[in-house]
Amino acid sequence: MKPHTLSRSQSTRVELRELVKLAAPIAIAQAGAAMMGIVDTLVVGRAGAVALASVGLASAVFFWFFCLGIGVMLGVDPMISQALGAQDPIRARRLYWLGNRLAVWIGLAVSLPILVVPFFLGRFGVEEQLVSEAQNYLWWRIPSVIPMLWFMIGRAYLQGLKRPGSLVVATVLANVANYYLNVLFVFGGAEGPAWTGPLRSIPALGASGAAIATVLCTLLQMGIVALAIRHHRPANLPRDVIAGSPQDLRTALRVGLPVGLHMFVEVGVFSVAGILAASMGAAAAGAHQVAIMLASFTFCVAVGIGNAGSVRVGHAVGAGDTPGARRAGFVAIGTGAAFMGLCGLVLVLFPGQVVGLVSSDPEVFGVAVGLMGVAAAFQISDGIQGVGAGVLRGAGDSHFTFRANVVGHWLVGAPLAVLLAWPAGMGVTGLWWGLSAGLTVVAVAVLWRFARLSRQTIRPLEEQREPVESPTTGAVGETA
């Protein structure tokens, strides 16, 4: 038994090393994307509680619908990683171009509700001033939708190649630019030094200025990633590589639509919570924005681990190695849970210091500090469900995650959040305890699913005609 145990231990260490090597730059890129939103909040927050709350409300609406687009695009991720695992770089390149075309149609589809929803915010009891500022922010933010989706598919291709270094470069440069552009557009250039020339004529645009800065930096990110992908052009690339396969498009949508709906459901419950918090006043809305921003930032590492886990599982599935896929999935889930547990300790032990990094408004500060304990409580659950969704996606199973999120967030979390917020009189803190309960249900479900799924052979997506589940085992991958 000893040699067998040693071999398994060595395999786990090797897998952990490969996971961290891939996850670290992806997590940095993911954190950098979140950091652009944090910079928006930090800069706009200096303009007062109303400006902070309006950007928070607008961001909630934007990402609610934008995540639907992200999820659909993620349907291409396991196809790329499985193609590379099967040593087929030409197919992977075709899938990259398929993703770029899909991004245009998906981007146009999700932009429409982003433009329309602000007209209905007033019916939820949100103050007119908050609605007006949020609407302006969203209108200026719309041009970033398609470039952000192009960046997403580029990131999927580079991480599948295990070449995520350019993602870090793009993220760092975009964040540096975002800070200076935010200051310029939010407060105007009137007080700039003489050498800035015509930039001094730019007026103070407030929340809208933050949106403009983010759009410009998204274009910068996308451009850097596009150059990196061009550099990694495979040899003997056929001229028709840009042409798409209808079968691949159907497979991408079959995998991606449930992922998009899962993200829409998950982000949607947090977005609704943001709208409900806004109905409690600017202080509650600002505190909710601060707390959700901090919780989202820690979650970025879990997303990075989940994306890396998806690639590792996808490579193993493409190579016909189900035991390797099982090992990769559980190493990723365990790593995500451990990291998020450490984040939870930081939020519990240093709530005031953490909140103080984001807001100094006395009313917002007091409420946000109280939310840190709740955010800490769901860190491990958030890590497990986030990474678990990634490894299931790598295995080609996205339908179960959608169902788990519907049950966890909308049948458990949302009703409990409303009950605790109003009848129980806990306010915005009650909203957060309800969200925590929903995340825990989803975490338990996806962990159980992957454990069950990986007990038998997982077939690559290219071999699956339909996502049929066995009535006895619930396994994915049997052909119809």
Side-chain angles (χ1 to χ4, degrees):
M1 294 294 294
K2 189 173 182 179
H4 177 73
T5 302
L6 180 61
S7 176
R8 180 180 299 177
S9 176
Q10 288 176 334
S11 298
T12 300
R13 286 199 299 270
V14 170
E15 180 59 44
L16 179 60
R17 183 168 61 248
E18 292 299 314
L19 176 77
V20 172
K21 188 189 302 183
L22 182 58
I26 296 174
I28 292 172
Q30 188 70 31
M35 183 61 73
M36 293 196 1
I38 291 175
V39 168
D40 287 356
T41 303
L42 290 174
V43 175
V44 174
R46 289 161 52 187
V50 172
L52 175 63
S54 65
V55 170
L57 179 60
S59 297
V61 172
F62 181 87
F63 282 104
W64 186 5
F65 293 97
F66 182 67
C67 278
L68 179 61
I70 291 177
V72 176
M73 297 302 300
L74 286 175
V76 186
D77 282 30
M79 298 173 68
I80 291 176
S81 61
Q82 290 179 15
L84 292 170
Q87 305 299 313
D88 190 350
I90 303 299
R91 172 168 168 74
R93 195 76 168 196
R94 289 187 187 278
L95 292 169
Y96 163 71
W97 284 109
L98 173 72
N100 276 296
R101 288 195 303 278
L102 186 59
V104 175
W105 295 108
I106 297 299
L108 293 174
V110 301
S111 294
L112 182 59
I114 292 174
L115 287 171
V116 171
V117 165
F119 291 103
F120 299 93
L121 291 176
R123 298 185 180 183
F124 290 89
V126 181
E127 298 174 11
E128 183 178 348
Q129 186 178 3
L130 290 183
V131 172
S132 177
E133 287 288 322
Q135 190 176 57
N136 290 336
Y137 179 92
L138 287 171
W139 286 353
W140 281 107
R141 188 72 191 273
I142 284 292
S144 71
V145 171
I146 292 176
M148 286 176 75
L149 293 177
W150 280 334
F151 174 78
M152 290 287 301
I153 195 64
R155 185 180 71 179
Y157 183 74
L158 290 173
Q159 70 190 25
L161 288 174
K162 299 182 182 178
R163 304 287 186 188
S166 56
L167 299 176
V168 177
V169 174
T171 297
V172 171
L173 292 179
N175 273 279
V176 171
N178 190 47
Y179 172 75
Y180 288 106
L181 289 175
N182 256 280
V183 173
L184 175 64
F185 288 118
V186 171
F187 298 105
E191 297 183 5
W195 59 265
T196 57
L199 295 180
R200 299 178 67 187
S201 63
I202 294 176
L205 299 173
S208 299
I212 294 171
T214 301
V215 170
L216 294 175
C217 293
T218 299
L219 293 172
L220 174 63
Q221 272 188 313
M222 184 200 69
I224 294 172
V225 167
L227 288 175
I229 291 172
R230 186 175 182 180
H231 178 71
H232 292 294
R233 178 187 175 93
N236 303 317
L237 199 63
R239 292 183 177 180
D240 67 343
V241 69
I242 298 179
S245 160
Q247 178 62 37
D248 284 338
L249 178 60
R250 286 194 294 269
T251 301
L253 292 175
R254 171 165 62 82
V255 177
L257 280 173
V259 178
L261 292 173
H262 136 229
M263 295 183 71
F264 184 75
V265 167
E266 180 182 356
V267 175
V269 77
F270 283 90
S271 297
V272 169
I275 294 172
L276 294 176
S279 70
M280 299 176 187
H288 174 82
Q289 171 62 9
V290 169
I292 200 69
M293 184 185 65
L294 292 170
S296 298
F297 187 70
T298 61
F299 183 63
C300 286
V301 176
V303 171
I305 295 171
N307 285 345
S310 177
V311 172
R312 296 294 300 167
V313 170
H315 281 182
V317 171
D321 182 11
T322 295
R326 181 179 175 88
R327 181 172 57 250
F330 277 119
V331 168
I333 292 171
T335 303
F339 176 82
M340 294 296 279
L342 290 175
C343 292
L345 283 177
V346 172
L347 295 180
V348 166
L349 296 176
F350 308 104
Q353 292 88 333
V354 172
V355 172
L357 294 173
V358 182
S359 176
S360 58
D361 185 282
E363 294 184 14
V364 172
F365 183 88
V367 181
V369 166
L371 293 180
M372 289 300 97
V374 191
F378 69 60
Q379 290 294 294
I380 293 179
S381 294
D382 207 12
I384 292 174
Q385 67 89 22
V387 178
V391 299
L392 284 174
R393 188 170 66 248
D397 182 7
S398 55
H399 293 73
F400 179 84
T401 309
F402 165 58
R403 295 194 294 268
N405 274 269
V406 170
V407 173
H409 290 304
W410 289 98
L411 300 185
V412 177
L416 186 59
V418 173
L419 180 66
L420 293 175
W422 279 279
M426 296 176 65
V428 69
T429 303
L431 287 177
W432 273 66
W433 277 119
L435 299 176
S436 179
L439 284 169
T440 302
V441 171
V442 178
V444 172
V446 297
L447 185 59
W448 168 84
R449 176 63 170 182
F450 183 73
R452 191 177 186 185
L453 171 66
S454 57
R455 288 197 190 108
Q456 69 174 40
T457 301
I458 306 173
R459 294 191 179 188
L461 285 165
E462 193 175 2
E463 297 178 11
Q464 299 176 28
R465 290 202 297 262
E466 295 180 13
V468 177
E469 295 188 359
S470 166
T472 56
T473 64
V476 172
E478 299 297 326
T479 54

